[in-house]
Amino acid sequence: MASEATAEKFRALTPSEFFYRNRELAGFSNPARALYQAVRELVENALDATDPHGIHPTIKVILQKVSAERDNIFSISVEDNGIGIPSAQVPRAFGQLLYSSKYVLRQTRGMFGLGAKMAVLYGQMTTGKSVEVLTSTITAKNIYYFNIAIDVKTNTPIIHEKGVYRKNNGWHGTVVKLYLEGDWTRSKSKIYEYLKRTAIIAPYAEIVFEDPDGTITYFERSTRKMPPPPREVKPHPKGVDIEMMKMMLKATKAKTLLEFLIKEFQSIGEVTARRLIKNAGLLPDMKPHELSTEDVERLVRVIKSDTKIKPPSANHLSYVGEEIIKVGLKAILKPEFVTAVTRKPSVYEGHAFIVEAGLAYGGEIQPEDRPVLYRYANKIPLLYDEGADVARKVVDRIDWSHYGVTFPAPLVILVHICSTKVPYKGVGKESVADVPEVEHEMELAIREVARRLKRYLSKKKREREEAERAVAIAKYIPDVARGLAKIVNNVKEEMIEKELLKMLNMKLKSFKINSVSDVVVSIE
Amino acid sequence: MSYMSAVDVKARKKALKKIERAFSKLVKDILSGKAPTLVIRKRTLANTVFDAERGLLRIGNATLRRSFLNAGEAKKFMQTVLIASIIHEALKNDEYPTIRDLYYRGKHTIRFRDLVTSRIREENTWDEQKESDSVIRDLEVLIDMLREEMLILSKEKGKVVGDMRIKSGDDIIDLSKMGHGAYSIEPTPDFIEFKDVNAEFVLVIEKDAVFQQLHRAGFWKKYKALLITSAGQPDRATRRFVRRLSDELGLPIYILTDADPYGWYIYSVFKVGSITLSYESERLATPSARFLGVSMIDIFGSDKLKKKPYLTEAERKNYIIKATDTDIKRAKELKSYEWFRTKRWLEEINIFLKKKAKLEIEALTSKGLRFLMDTYIPEKIETGDWIA
Ligand SMILES: Nc1ncnc2c1ncn2[C@@H]1O[C@H](COP(=O)(O)OP(=O)(O)OP(=O)(O)O)[C@@H](O)[C@H]1O
Ligand SMILES: [Mg+2]
């Protein structure tokens, strides 16, 4: 009996079972968070299907209460004008966890192959309903309809329904609709905030949102300029560990080790390849699959300690750019001052990354006791776990009084990191880890925009002071002119007034007063 | 036909001309593109010089430049122009404004747009009379003319009686025929003409009440005096009148005040002029004026000077008032003024600081009006017991 009670039972979990049990890892922890997370995953997939492909996104999000009796069941529908999904891929893209087109080295919002499926899984769990997908690729002649569920035990899609319709217009894109239990009241502000921040970082997108209360919000497209599309890259040798090296050696078509290093990696030319091979005590014409585990270990160690390998190139990265960031901040926040900076590419652990910072100040922004921080990674707004994010740490470390800001102040800081590998703290993609190189770049970027704000504020202060001084004089011109004209014969009041204003204007640098009546309204 | 006296007509012409000259220059600058600037001598303690030779305070040479195109000075500049134009107009219209009138005539509201906030704001050309009074004084310095010469009136405070005839306006007034009253010294004493006088000295009394008592008791008749009271701090008219009596009639001037720093300063204003209005002393101060009393030595006596006090131990006990902290502070201040740093004055002040005691003139009338009239005053004048 005793031995039976303590005997451990062993079995394997499929990914779907694992994430079914640990859904909070992917952000689906409670009805409020799940509703927000589902919107987010679907919108990000929609954006991934558009802007990297040069398509100006048009996205429609509809959130509805399914029935009047049960106010915690919602339907989410997200429609995009993207590249669509090849019909053969649809079932697995929505019905099999860890299935993705984004497992390549290319900067996209999605990266785990989980997002859509977690929403489907959560919906299935809480409402028993499956997902409906309508999609057509650009070249497809048909529009495809699917109704899919996930077989949690086996992590395979179950196709409930499939339809094919002839396409008689040029439509392409995807509509995804699913049902889930949610808490609108408690997720409302987060969902709005998410869409607003998305509109800021992607002002070239047009987003319509209809919420469960029937309110329709339209974020209009405020520029046609789009970021450069991301491109797939070969890995940089410094970002590759022993395991990955083994996999690459196994998969390569190269005939020799020398050819393998030159062909499969970026930043390695023949000279570098020969040096690495020699330093690792290997031979250039070894066959890739002949390397022993020790050989691989040595090769990776030599690569890690080599100081001459060129840093990873960053021209595959899709940064947003100063202009678009400014347009986005301006359009949504309506600030009085806006600026942005895109830093030069930098590298951590063999991964190239670019940090961008934007700053918006004044105007319609409400003053707060500290800078409001808008964090983004690969153009995704990060809303949760702000306190754990390295960007918050950097912003809080800065002495803003040094830049002429005293709180409460209407100050918004935008920080964007883009990389083929963003160092997230978890699969929920909510905060960026304290990587020293990233932290350093963020600090430089934020300080740069802060310096520009300081210049702006001190210029504005100078101008304000000048305007005050000018008014302090101009308001007395009529009295002086009239007084003098009364005392002195044969001079016209208007003449004196004109001359005084002329002299005053000559002293003014930042503006001119056209007429005394711009200042003096009446004398009574 | 004009009902105006001839002196007034002449004065008006002169004042108009002076104002016009000063401001024509300003207009010329403006029309030739030069920043309009008023250069005015400073009316500050630092720019007050004691002219030891002439025994009066004078305004120094330090000037302040008031430029209209300087935001910090624009308002004062405007106020100066404004007051000048109002005075100019009053002169032209044959008016006699008081400084209060000028304040009201110049006061108006400027509504202007704040270019920073775009809000409409209001501001008065001036809020308190202090401000218009101050630019009137600036104008006096600027055109080197007293306001009385510009026919600006102020409240009459000083009074005079005595055996003397004067012409004021077009009337002859006999100062010996004022009954129980007295002649109010007019705000423009320069226009008074001295006709004939039968007096040997002038007695100026700080206290109006004591003046009345001496007047009714017939002091001026008995001692051939002109009796004047300033009723506290002397106004400009009283000072100018006293100065003219000294200058033009050569009469010795004796001043009788309370025995305290306040009284000493009244004496000092008559004699050397006041600090804030030092530019007027040239015309208003009477350097030959003598401080008759009441002195500390009159109260306490002096072994060194072999002088017996006028008060007995018992009277001192009754009449002496304890000096306040402000009195002490004021006395120390006076001690630092150059014109109080004479041997005799330092003695006075030091006794005061030691005894911390002061005394009002009324104490002497309490001892007996007769004592004041027939003993104290004549005896002190006769024996030369005054401070020069
Ligand atoms: N709206 C869409 N348009 C085109 N393709 C889509 C769309 N939505 C999903 N896909 C495809 O389905 C795949 C799976 O999406 P899913 O959100 O599950 O994972 P992911 O986006 O790759 O990674 P992540 O878990 O980080 O979101 C995507 O890689 C993409 O190829
Ligand atoms: Mg996704």
Side-chain angles (χ1 to χ4, degrees), chain B residues 186-216:
Chain B
E186 60 167 273
T188 52
D190 274 300
F191 304 154
I192 293 174
E193 200 181 307
F194 295 159
K195 285 295 183 194
D196 71 296
V197 63
N198 177 26
E200 283 165 8
F201 66 94
V202 177
L203 181 64
V204 181
I205 302 159
E206 172 191 349
K207 292 279 173 69
D208 190 10
V210 178
F211 167 88
Q212 288 186 45
Q213 290 176 45
L214 288 175
H215 175 24
R216 289 193 167 207

Side-chain angles (χ1 to χ4, degrees), chain A residues 25 54 90-91 96 112 137 143 194 215 275-276 321 346 355 378 426 439 445 492 512 522:
Chain A
L25 289 179
V90 176
Q96 177 176 346
F112 296 119
T137 60
I143 298 174
Y194 170 78
T215 307
R275 181 178 72 244
L276 294 173
S346 186
V355 166
N378 287 346
E439 187 176 333
K492 285 229 159 58
K512 305 282 173 216
S522 72

